Amino acid sequence: MEMQMSQRFRAVISPASSAFWWPRFRLSFTPSKSGFSLCRSEISSHVRSLLPSFTSSTLLSSEMSPFSIRLPILITSRRDGKWTHYSLRPEGIQAAKGLLDGLLTASQQAQPLCACTKKEETIVEGKTKLYVLTGFLGSGKTTILLKLLEQLKGHRVGVIQNEFGKLSIDGEILRDGDIKMVELNRGSIFCTCLKLSFVQGLAEMAKQNLEYLFVESSGWGDPSNLEEILAAAKELAGDVFDFQGAICLVDAVNFFDQLADGQPSDEETVYRQVKHCHLAVVTKVDLVDPQRLEAVEAKIREINPICPIEVSANANLDLSFLQRDLTQYRWAESEESTNSVETKPKTLFMNYGKPVEEETLRAFLLDVADSLLRAKGFFEIAGKGWQQVDLVGRRVDLKPCEPKEKAEMVFISRIGPAIIRPLTAAWQQHFGEPMPLKN
């Protein structure tokens, strides 16, 4: 659908992305060069003021192409059996027109150069762009990071990978000869137990002449003290990093359960991850309906009113954020992290030397799922070969992986050391032998 807003705007309503199976529409508009003077940051600010209930004010495209803004208010949905029917809302169209009118008025009153433009002009060339990925257990950080690394092939990229288990399952998935990598295990990089190691890891990466450095924090990581840690790294390694922002992955399927799981430390971790992020990415949107997604976005906006919100299905993600300084969306002041040795979840692991039946493994994992925050590893499945196994909530996912010397799995307990008894009992019941469980 096309709308003409005087001679200064041509606006088109279209699907936001072909990568997602459900229609999430956006408003794209092209201003004339002589009649429009707002920059990206100003547009974002005016969108929020003109549409206060708007939860997805992320600008999707670069300043050299038409501006795009997701507008869920443009469509309505109706369920009919297994089908969902979508239609444009007349009031949504009027809201879009009002938005463009407001932007045009603001443009006519704009100053020649805004603060964010001045900031962009002062970015120092030659520094390593630093991004920190946060998000609770099973939100998809490693999968998204793999996509990012794939897109940045040919660039000088480094990864600091953090897990609080003894085994580095995600490290095995990420390991690549072309990527500089530091692994920090058995704790959170924001906890006193690993904070110094994190600073030293940043200093080591500072010597590698990288273009990009991605830090994947553990799912239990509370990044409230990230600025303090980066300041310490600057003292040790010099002013070599251009911190671009913390990106929080929010699990569309499990987000509300994580915020109300009965464990205060876990709930606070999820809350702080969103509170201190500069970009929120809602993952697994292909597994929820539009109403659920809107509720998740509204909750994110309640916790962090200013961070842009993106969505991702099957780990597909709009990478235009790599062209922006996300730190302009800083909402919360730095504070002490809740991560500590005392609040660290109990983690156990196992190795196994034989192939297993898929149905038996699934039954075992579902029996103990309610007592676990997460389980992940690699198993040789009879008839299927080696598979990466992930348990998040009550969902078990398998996907092919490279062969391993032996099966291994990490279990992250929701109930502390009390997990040992139900875990070993369930294994004995389903596999008919003692479980080779280790601390």
Side-chain angles (χ1 to χ4, degrees), residues 309-425:
I309 301 174
E310 297 282 2
V311 294
S312 171
N314 300 313
N316 291 304
L317 178 63
D318 178 1
L319 301 183
S320 62
F321 71 85
L322 292 173
Q323 308 304 318
R324 289 184 282 159
D325 180 3
L326 298 175
T327 58
Q328 64 183 302
Y329 302 110
R330 180 176 183 263
W331 168 245
E333 297 289 333
S334 179
E335 56 187 315
E336 186 176 349
S337 174
T338 57
N339 291 160
S340 67
V341 176
E342 291 73 24
T343 60
K344 178 182 174 182
K346 179 66 176 176
T347 303
L348 301 163
F349 73 98
M350 65 169 289
N351 297 118
Y352 196 62
K354 297 183 290 187
V356 299
E357 295 291 334
E358 180 178 346
E359 288 186 11
T360 305
L361 180 61
R362 286 183 179 274
F364 159 68
L365 289 173
L366 289 175
D367 267 3
V368 294
D370 293 339
S371 299
L372 294 172
L373 290 168
R374 178 85 194 277
K376 55 185 176 180
F378 310 102
F379 269 91
E380 185 178 3
I381 305 297
K384 282 191 171 183
W386 283 93
Q387 301 281 314
Q388 178 185 331
V389 183
D390 286 290
L391 170 71
V392 181
R394 295 194 60 80
R395 182 183 176 91
V396 181
D397 287 315
L398 277 69
K399 60 183 177 183
C401 66
E402 293 294 319
K404 311 296 178 184
E405 289 186 10
K406 54 188 173 182
E408 56 186 21
M409 193 155 220
V410 172
F411 303 91
I412 304 170
S413 175
R414 186 188 299 276
I415 59 174
I419 188 62
I420 296 174
R421 181 174 292 179
L423 200 59
T424 53

Side-chain angles (χ1 to χ4, degrees), residues 123-347:
I123 291 177
V124 179
E125 295 294 330
K127 289 187 178 183
T128 298
K129 288 189 174 183
L130 171 63
Y131 296 87
V132 176
L133 299 183
T134 69
F136 203 62
L137 298 156
S139 58
K141 295 184 296 298
T142 303
T143 307
I144 289 285
L145 182 52
L146 280 170
K147 289 279 187 176
L148 282 167
L149 298 177
E150 183 181 311
Q151 292 294 319
L152 292 171
K153 280 284 188 184
H155 292 270
R156 301 185 307 278
V157 180
V159 171
I160 295 179
Q161 205 281 322
N162 172 220
E163 290 195 69
F164 54 80
K166 183 176 181 179
L167 297 182
S168 181
I169 300 297
D170 293 338
E172 285 199 42
I173 296 169
L174 289 168
R175 209 165 286 127
D176 185 313
D178 295 332
I179 295 171
K180 304 293 183 182
M181 190 165 174
V182 169
E183 297 179 63
L184 301 173
N185 299 330
R186 310 206 77 167
S188 164
I189 53 177
F190 307 113
C191 172
T192 52
C193 58
L194 274 186
K195 193 161 57 172
L196 179 57
S197 296
F198 182 23
V199 172
Q200 292 170 336
L202 287 168
E204 181 179 331
M205 284 297 192
K207 304 172 185 176
Q208 304 299 324
N209 189 30
L210 301 172
E211 295 175 71
Y212 296 92
L213 175 60
F214 295 95
V215 177
E216 182 191 352
S217 67
S218 77
W220 174 66
D222 168 9
S224 303
N225 61 350
L226 176 59
E227 292 179 10
E228 169 199 328
I229 293 171
L230 295 181
K234 184 176 179 180
E235 288 293 321
L236 183 63
D239 190 13
V240 296
F241 294 113
D242 181 13
F243 178 52
Q244 294 289 294
I247 302 168
C248 178
L249 304 193
V250 176
D251 184 337
V253 176
N254 298 296
F255 182 53
F256 288 110
D257 292 335
Q258 293 164 351
L259 280 172
D261 76 345
Q263 300 291 328
S265 61
D266 299 338
E267 295 170 17
E268 183 66 15
T269 296
V270 176
Y271 180 87
R272 294 258 193 127
Q273 287 172 348
V274 175
K275 177 183 175 183
H276 287 275
C277 78
H278 305 95
L279 169 65
V281 177
V282 185
T283 60
K284 308 179 187 178
V285 299
D286 50 314
L287 303 178
V288 299
D289 58 32
Q291 290 75 23
R292 170 78 171 199
L293 179 60
E294 288 179 11
V296 169
E297 289 188 328
K299 187 63 179 179
I300 292 172
R301 187 60 68 228
E302 178 185 316
I303 299 171
N304 187 325
I306 69 170
C307 72
I309 301 174
E310 297 282 2
V311 294
S312 171
N314 300 313
N316 291 304
L317 178 63
D318 178 1
L319 301 183
S320 62
F321 71 85
L322 292 173
Q323 308 304 318
R324 289 184 282 159
D325 180 3
L326 298 175
T327 58
Q328 64 183 302
Y329 302 110
R330 180 176 183 263
W331 168 245
E333 297 289 333
S334 179
E335 56 187 315
E336 186 176 349
S337 174
T338 57
N339 291 160
S340 67
V341 176
E342 291 73 24
T343 60
K344 178 182 174 182
K346 179 66 176 176
T347 303

Side-chain angles (χ1 to χ4, degrees), residues 52-70:
S53 62
F54 187 39
T55 61
S56 289
S57 55
T58 306
L59 292 166
L60 297 179
S61 58
S62 69
E63 294 195 29
M64 298 304 293
S65 59
F67 296 98
S68 297
I69 306 175
R70 292 198 189 92

